[in-house]
């Protein structure tokens, strides 16, 4: 009888899904936009930012998390008048630091965010570039640790939901493959509800070298599959573990799956084909956390 830690490629990984997000009610349009003491006129609404190292974030919790953890990264702020009471501290900081802010109409924020789900506030902030695997591992404390390797996941809403779950369950890092364009976006940060500021992003190098680095640091790798893997709820999970989550639809790279130490599946009723990758990730993380708590 084979066990969950047999090295065999999975048939395919968890699929797609996109959480819905209700539109916030419109606030009354202010009579005049206001700038801070810097006298900024601000960019044309919807115009691209000039600096490549900046990111346009939106959403109450996403902006609040940046202000709490790295306020010096904030370059400009736009908000509707109804959000002023909730962000008095941030606005006072902007005035003190001479960071430009404007009170604008909700339609302006729709264009700035390229989304109707901005929740009445948009901030232009400096990006945090992913760290290297070597730097992350050198800074990682000894003892139990959990990380997520995203192999081809590209949907920003799924990425944001994964970041939110990762922050909730204390994941040490999100590992990004060397290929592909997965990076933090405004949409992902909004869905993450502040989680994007809590969980480090790590850019991996060559896959074989990355696996060797991770194993050298005491990690085991588990490929997560829809079917054919060991039962997650009865598997004995190691203290230092990396879940490899595959791309939406196509699944993970078969060679990467074959290189993993185990294959794990979430048992269910079979009434639907599978959970989407974000929902499945939350289940996998919760189970590791439960096993850790039990010792």
């Amino acid at each position: 009888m084979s066990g969950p830690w047999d090295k065999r490629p999975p048939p395919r990984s968890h699929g797609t899904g996109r959480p819905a997000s209700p539109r916030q009610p419109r606030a009354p349009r202010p009579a005049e936009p206001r700038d801070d003491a810097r006298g900024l006129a601000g960019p044309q609404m919807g115009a691209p930012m000039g600096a490549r190292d900046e990111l346009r974030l939106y959403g109450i919790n996403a902006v609040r998390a940046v202000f709490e953890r790295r306020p010096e990264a904030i370059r400009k702020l736009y908000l509707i008048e109804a959000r002023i009471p909730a962000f008095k501290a941030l606005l006072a900081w902007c005035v003190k630091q001479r960071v430009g802010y404007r009170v604008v109409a909700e339609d302006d924020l729709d264009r700035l965010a390229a989304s109707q789900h901005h929740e009445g506030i948009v901030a232009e902030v400096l990006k945090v570039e992913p760290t290297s695997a070597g730097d992350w591992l050198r800074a990682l404390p000894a003892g139990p640790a959990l990380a997520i390797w995203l192999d081809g996941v590209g949907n920003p809403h799924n990425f944001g939901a994964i970041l939110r779950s990762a922050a909730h369950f204390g994941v040490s890092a999100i590992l990004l493959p060397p290929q592909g364009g997965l990076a933090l976006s405004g949409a992902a940060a909004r869905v993450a509800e502040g989680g994007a500021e809590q969980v480090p992003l790590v850019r991996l190098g060559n896959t074989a070298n990355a696996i060797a680095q991770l194993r050298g640091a005491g990690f085991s790798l588990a490929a997560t599959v829809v079917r054919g893997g060991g039962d997650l709820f009865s598997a004995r999970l190691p203290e230092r573990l990396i879940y490899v989550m595959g791309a939406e639809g196509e699944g993970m790279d078969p060679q990467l799956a074959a290189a993993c130490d185990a294959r794990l599946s979430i048992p269910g009723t079979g009434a639907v084909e599978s959970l989407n990758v974000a929902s499945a990730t939350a289940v996998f993380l919760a189970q590791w956390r439960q096993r850790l708590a039990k010792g």
Side-chain angles (χ1 to χ4, degrees):
M1 180 178 292
S2 59
W5 299 93
D6 291 341
K7 296 180 181 177
R8 290 176 296 170
R12 70 184 197 74
S13 59
H14 296 279
T16 58
R18 180 171 180 158
S21 179
R23 179 168 184 170
Q24 299 294 315
R26 290 183 178 273
R29 185 184 184 107
E32 294 290 338
R34 294 195 291 273
D35 299 326
D36 73 339
R38 203 166 165 187
L40 294 178
Q44 293 295 315
M45 297 303 164
M49 292 175 290
R52 291 184 177 181
D53 59 349
E54 291 184 2
L55 176 66
R56 193 166 282 164
L57 296 183
Y58 53 91
I60 292 171
N61 288 330
V63 174
R64 184 171 286 142
V66 172
F67 178 50
E68 290 174 351
R69 293 185 65 87
R70 51 187 188 107
E72 71 285 349
I74 299 173
R75 290 295 177 263
K76 293 177 186 175
L77 185 71
Y78 306 88
L79 72 168
I80 59 174
E81 193 166 25
R83 287 285 173 253
I84 291 176
F87 286 93
K88 282 184 178 180
L90 174 53
L91 296 177
W93 181 89
C94 287
V95 171
K96 183 177 180 180
Q97 301 297 323
R98 299 186 63 79
V99 172
Y101 76 87
R102 297 192 72 194
V103 179
V104 298
E106 188 164 345
D107 287 346
D108 293 329
L109 293 187
D110 290 351
R111 289 189 285 275
L112 277 168
S115 170
Q116 296 177 345
H117 305 301
H118 46 69
E119 300 176 338
I121 188 163
V122 174
E124 292 179 5
V125 305
L126 292 177
K127 293 180 181 178
V128 176
E129 293 300 328
T131 189
S132 69
D135 288 344
W136 168 62
L137 289 172
R138 279 189 290 273
L140 188 66
L146 177 65
I148 305 168
W149 182 327
L150 298 182
D151 181 46
V153 174
N155 182 299
H157 294 83
N158 279 334
F159 186 30
I162 289 170
L163 282 165
R164 184 175 183 175
S165 294
H168 180 76
F169 289 109
V171 168
S172 297
I174 303 288
L175 311 182
L176 308 178
Q179 301 87 13
L182 183 61
L184 186 66
S185 65
R190 184 195 65 78
V191 174
E193 295 287 356
E197 296 297 318
Q198 303 290 334
V199 184
L201 299 181
V202 175
R203 182 70 66 184
L204 299 174
N206 172 273
T207 298
N209 291 341
I211 292 174
Q213 272 186 302
L214 296 169
R215 286 206 176 108
F219 282 96
S220 297
L221 281 71
T224 63
V225 298
V226 172
R227 60 184 66 86
D231 185 335
L232 170 67
F233 301 132
S234 61
R236 185 175 179 83
L237 302 178
E239 285 192 343
R240 289 171 80 87
L241 175 63
I242 293 170
Y243 286 126
V244 182
M245 311 300 300
E248 300 98 340
E250 296 83 4
M252 69 185 69
D253 184 324
Q255 290 184 337
L256 174 58
C260 290
D261 303 296
R263 298 167 58 222
L264 296 173
S265 299
I266 301 170
T269 64
V272 293
E273 183 182 13
S274 66
L275 298 174
N276 73 22
V277 66
S279 298
T281 298
V283 176
F284 280 109
L285 300 186
Q287 187 65 12
W288 182 85
R289 184 79 180 210
Q290 181 187 47
R291 293 289 182 185
L292 185 66
K294 289 182 177 179

